[in-house]
Structure formats: C-alpha cells, structure tokens
Amino acid sequence: MTKVAPIHPELCRQNVGSSAWWEQIKTIGTPLTMDLGADNTLVSFIWQDEKKASADIETVYIDLYSKTPHPTQKLTQLTCIDNTDVWFWETELPNDWLGSYFLMPATNKQQPPVQNDRAAMRRWWIQLMQSNAQHDPLNPVAPHNNGSGIKLSRVCLDGSNLFIFKDQNTHQQGQLQTTTWLSEKLNNKRSIWLYQTGKNTTKIQPIVLLLDGQHWANNLPIYHQLDELTLAGHLPEALYVFIDSIDASHRNTELACNPDFWNAIQQELIPRIREQYALTPPYQNIVAGQSLGGLSAIYSALNWPEYFATAISLSGSFWWPDVESAPGESKFIQNIKHAPTTSTPLNLVMEAGCYEKDMLEVSQIMARTLQANGHQIQFNEFRGGHDWLCWQQSLIRSLIKAFNTEFTLS
C-alpha cells in the first residue's frame, strides 16, 4: 500500500506518538477535525497500536457508514506513521455529517482472500467484524450498538444534531414497563418495552408500535426525547410499544411482509396491552420501522388499515422480495402501482438518506406510487445514510409529522 502523508497539524508534530502527544490527543478526543471552508471538514481518525512491540497488527480497517465503499468492492484502511504506534485515516466530509463508524485491526493471519470473489470477501469481512471490530476508544461520545453486538462510534459535525446525543441515562419522566410476549401464533417469545409519556396515565392515549424496538429501548434510547417533546407539546401523550426483533433470523422472516407476524400483533399483543392501558380506537394506531421494518410498516398499513392507518417508514427495503430488482420494479411496488385507487387513504410518513443511493431512489419511487394510489404521503430526504444513528433523528422527526403537529425538527 502506498504511504499517505498526514494533513492535520496534530499528526505532523515532531513528537507524534510520544506519551505527551497521546495525552494531548486523548484530551482533544477523536476524530480530529479541521475546517476546510466551502462547507467541508477534514476528519482524521486515529488508532493506537498499544502492542506494537509484538508486531502482530498488519492492517487497520475502518468502516465509516455512507462514506467508505462497501468492503466487498474496496477496503479502506489506516496508515501507520513510521516508527510510531500511530495509525490514521483522513477524509473530507460535509459540515453537517452525521454517521457511525468502527475500527478493525487485523493480524497478518487475518488478511482478505486473494481471489476476487465477492461472496468470499463478504464472509471474511463478517467473520472479522465479529471478532475484531471495535469502537473508537478516543471518541468522547459513548458508543452505541449496531444490533449485532458491534460497538460503533459516531461522527457529528453539526452541533445542532447533538440533540440526539443527550445523556441517555437521564431519568425517564414517563412510565416504563418491561414485559415478555409469549406468542402462541408465532411460537416464540420476545421482550416488549411499554413507555407511557405524560403525567395523566389514565387518559385515553394513542399507541405507537416501534419495530426493532430493542434499538430505541436499549441501544439508542429515545425515552428522554419523547419526554421532552411531549412536555413541550410537540408530541401528544402516548403509549410507545418497543417490539424486540429477537435476532437476525426472526427479523428477516417476520418483517418480510409476513401476515402471521401482523396477525399475532393484532390478535395477541394489542389485546393484551389494551387490558392494561386506556387507548384510542385501533385505526388510530401508528406503526414505525426502518429498513426491512420500514417495508413491514407500510405493508401492515396497506393490508390492515383498520388497525394501522398511519405508518412511518425510514429507508424502507422496497426492493423486496428481489434485492436484485431494478428500482421500482419490485413485486411489492408493482402490486401497488397496478391496484385500484384506494378507498381508505393512509397517512404515511417516509424518509430516506441522501447517501443511500439505490435505497433513496426506490423510496422516492415508492412514495410516488403510494401517492398515485390515493394515499397521503409526507416524504423527506435526510442528510445521512443507512444508519441507526441517522434513523434515531428521523424517527423523532417522523413521529412529529405523523401526529400532524406544526412543529418541525431542524
């Protein structure tokens, strides 16, 4: 690999790699940033090889969501500064960048397959992630979980986005109940988190079902955001139901337009919840999901509008059921395109990121198709990618839209 010279002044100091230099970097925190003007920022990622004497580490990879190429196409790696334990990678990012990343050191025995085989590269990358991926220990912001046990760090260049990084250990003002849903219809069990906002817990409230709920309950908790926006009047008092997806296998089966999953929610989960809480009529339910969950949310509303007249879809997987289908040519979209104009218009809020490429295009096509079919669509292209970190902000923004308030989250 061709050696790359560092740009950031901190990486060009004569004492780079010394104990004093590392103490300075730890005080500053990483990634390092430098204003480049013209709406761009130089971002410098750093990793310390604390065991350099063993010479085990041959490569350090980085995956910066929405910026680095897919690893099956091109690997992105850090450069080691000669005669130091300092590894770095620098890139230019827009000043409003928000996204996740992880670092992944690899030994000389963990190098990628030689052959140009995309499937083999994917298997190697996944295996290496499971064993070696790590968050950035020099990043002062607490890491979050990607849902597969990998800790991620975050880059937030726009200070206004720090709204989503407030102390996640803040005491909840609402009422939280954790329970287990044992489903006879699905023959499985999962965690359910019930969070009731507002002070009047006997008031009749709308219900919001959140797919992949473990992310919003545990990995990137949104309780404090729901509390603040409710107290400020931007969201009504409501009951939020966070539905665990169990694991990747269950998620891929249940969220892929699966009628059994949604029948179980209607016939088992919601009746059980209504035994404990005073809720608005079923047709006022809101369901929200992202990626495959975004597809499932729209699917539920189209098929059971008497239960889910409002749906939120973030970066929906509207390529389903054929990932290789051209944008707009999937069976799911074509069925809606050729269906009669609806007599039961839905309230649908959709978002997709500007860095999602094909996912953005297919979401735009889906929005136009649904609108042509007679549904009410609110579509937004957000600054970000296919990233839980971006969806956290999108979810809050979309909830506000779904409840038809006039407040807009910047």
Side-chain angles (χ1 to χ4, degrees):
M1 182 182 73
T2 304
K3 281 283 186 179
V4 178
I7 300 173
H8 195 284
E10 290 293 339
L11 289 166
C12 299
R13 294 188 182 278
Q14 289 187 347
N15 70 336
V16 63
S18 67
S19 297
W21 184 85
W22 275 116
E23 286 303 316
Q24 176 70 8
I25 295 300
K26 291 174 182 177
T27 301
I28 298 172
T30 59
L32 304 177
T33 59
M34 184 173 72
D35 184 18
L36 297 175
D39 300 323
N40 286 325
T41 296
L42 175 73
V43 182
S44 305
F45 299 86
I46 301 173
W47 183 80
Q48 182 180 17
D49 185 359
E50 296 179 343
K51 300 180 180 180
K52 183 172 176 57
S54 64
D56 283 340
I57 302 303
E58 183 168 300
T59 313
V60 180
Y61 300 103
I62 183 171
D63 193 352
L64 175 59
Y65 289 15
S66 302
K67 177 62 177 181
T68 53
H70 193 285
T72 60
Q73 300 169 353
K74 182 181 179 182
L75 297 171
T76 305
Q77 55 199 70
L78 281 64
T79 298
C80 183
I81 297 178
D82 290 340
N83 303 314
T84 75
D85 58 355
V86 180
W87 293 71
F88 76 94
W89 178 69
E90 295 179 306
T91 189
E92 291 186 23
L93 296 175
N95 291 341
D96 60 356
W97 185 272
L98 173 65
S100 303
Y101 70 97
F102 66 81
L103 301 167
M104 192 162 63
T107 68
N108 55 8
K109 296 180 180 179
Q110 295 175 315
Q111 296 308 298
V114 177
Q115 68 271 27
N116 187 20
D117 184 333
R118 184 166 180 169
M121 282 288 292
R122 185 176 185 274
R123 288 193 299 270
W124 164 80
W125 181 260
I126 290 174
Q127 183 177 7
L128 193 62
M129 276 198 304
Q130 292 171 343
S131 60
N132 291 29
Q134 58 185 239
H135 70 277
D136 183 352
L138 300 173
N139 190 316
V141 181
H144 56 284
N145 195 308
N146 74 340
S148 299
I150 296 174
K151 294 286 188 179
L152 305 174
S153 294
R154 57 194 85 184
V155 181
C156 179
L157 300 183
D158 183 352
S160 66
N161 281 331
L162 292 175
F163 171 78
I164 69 173
F165 299 152
K166 288 191 175 182
D167 185 2
Q168 296 175 352
N169 295 318
T170 301
H171 177 69
Q172 291 104 17
Q173 299 176 36
Q175 300 295 318
L176 175 64
Q177 178 188 354
T178 303
T179 186
T180 299
W181 173 27
L182 179 60
S183 173
E184 293 183 3
K185 291 184 177 297
L186 300 174
N187 192 30
N188 58 36
K189 66 177 180 179
R190 75 192 72 214
S191 296
I192 300 291
W193 297 265
L194 304 165
Y195 192 68
Q196 191 173 26
T197 57
K199 298 180 180 179
N200 186 358
T201 57
T202 62
K203 178 183 177 182
I204 295 178
Q205 297 179 331
I207 182 174
V208 181
L209 303 180
L210 300 165
L211 303 176
D212 291 310
Q214 72 279 4
H215 283 281
W216 312 130
N218 289 337
N219 299 340
L220 286 167
I222 60 171
Y223 302 127
H224 66 280
Q225 295 163 289
L226 297 176
D227 287 334
E228 289 187 7
L229 292 169
T230 301
L231 290 173
H234 302 316
L235 288 173
E237 296 181 357
L239 177 67
Y240 295 87
V241 181
F242 302 82
I243 304 174
D244 190 2
S245 54
I246 304 180
D247 55 34
S249 177
H250 283 87
R251 183 179 189 272
N252 291 336
T253 299
E254 294 180 343
L255 299 188
C257 301
N258 187 328
D260 294 337
F261 175 69
W262 287 105
N263 283 326
I265 287 178
Q266 295 170 60
Q267 297 168 24
E268 293 181 350
L269 181 60
I270 292 180
R272 173 180 165 182
I273 294 172
R274 286 187 174 277
E275 292 176 357
Q276 304 176 57
Y277 297 90
L279 301 172
T280 53
Y283 63 85
Q284 295 182 17
N285 296 342
I286 295 176
V287 57
Q290 43 287 314
S291 195
L292 197 58
L295 166 76
S296 192
I298 297 294
Y299 169 79
S300 70
L302 289 172
N303 286 274
W304 297 277
E306 69 277 15
Y307 264 88
F308 313 109
T310 299
I312 295 171
S313 174
L314 311 178
S315 306
S317 299
F318 300 119
W319 46 260
W320 187 88
D322 180 11
V323 70
E324 300 297 335
S325 61
E329 296 302 317
S330 70
K331 180 180 178 181
F332 189 78
I333 291 180
Q334 288 300 309
N335 285 345
I336 299 169
K337 182 178 180 179
H338 296 293
T341 301
T342 184
S343 59
T344 54
L346 301 170
N347 176 30
L348 304 176
V349 181
M350 300 175 61
E351 293 210 3
C354 64
Y355 303 121
E356 296 193 79
K357 299 181 181 178
D358 290 347
M359 292 289 286
L360 172 61
E361 183 180 2
V362 75
S363 290
Q364 293 169 328
I365 293 172
M366 182 63 174
R368 293 194 296 268
T369 302
L370 287 165
Q371 189 170 43
N373 193 247
H375 300 290
Q376 177 182 330
I377 307 295
Q378 299 181 75
F379 183 85
N380 179 58
E381 178 182 328
F382 62 82
R383 295 286 294 174
H386 209 75
D387 189 336
W388 290 101
L389 201 59
C390 299
W391 292 331
Q392 186 186 38
Q393 190 178 46
S394 290
L395 176 60
I396 296 298
R397 181 170 51 237
S398 297
L399 284 169
I400 293 168
K401 290 181 179 179
F403 278 118
N404 294 312
T405 63
E406 297 180 354
F407 176 75
T408 300
L409 183 66
S410 61

